[in-house]
Amino acid sequence: MNKTLFFNVWMVLIVLTIIVAIISESNILYTGTLIIVLSIVKFLGVSFYFMELRKSHPFWKLSVLIFVVLFAITVIILI
């Protein structure tokens, strides 16, 4: 993996974590939904870049995306 790409993705994940922490302490209207969406972005970043899922078979890519969508819909409905 390219070290620059690795560092950039890592920095985006750190920034998203800080944003989620700030949002969790605020009184924004859709706090839970916003946190779930940012967590999905973080999950996809970790799975595609650090677990190297982007080099895997399309079946695994699709199954991870389907899992994330179903999980997000379920959690958002239950909030």
Side-chain angles (χ1 to χ4, degrees):
M1 177 185 287
N2 187 355
K3 288 189 179 192
T4 317
L5 180 63
F6 177 84
F7 182 73
N8 290 340
V9 172
W10 185 72
M11 287 304 296
V12 168
L13 291 172
I14 295 296
V15 168
L16 286 175
T17 303
I18 293 169
I19 291 172
V20 167
I22 292 169
I23 289 172
S24 69
E25 294 296 323
S26 67
N27 291 329
I28 299 174
L29 184 60
Y30 295 107
T31 303
T33 305
L34 193 56
I35 289 173
I36 294 298
V37 169
L38 291 175
S39 298
I40 288 170
V41 172
K42 288 170 39 181
F43 175 80
L44 292 175
V46 169
S47 62
F48 278 91
Y49 287 100
F50 294 107
M51 295 171 54
E52 296 189 4
L53 190 62
R54 61 193 161 120
K55 297 178 183 178
S56 68
H57 191 273
F59 170 77
W60 295 113
K61 294 176 187 178
L62 185 63
S63 62
V64 166
L65 291 175
I66 290 172
F67 169 76
V68 166
V69 168
L70 291 176
F71 180 77
I73 290 171
T74 305
V75 170
I76 290 172
I77 288 173
L78 295 175
I79 289 180

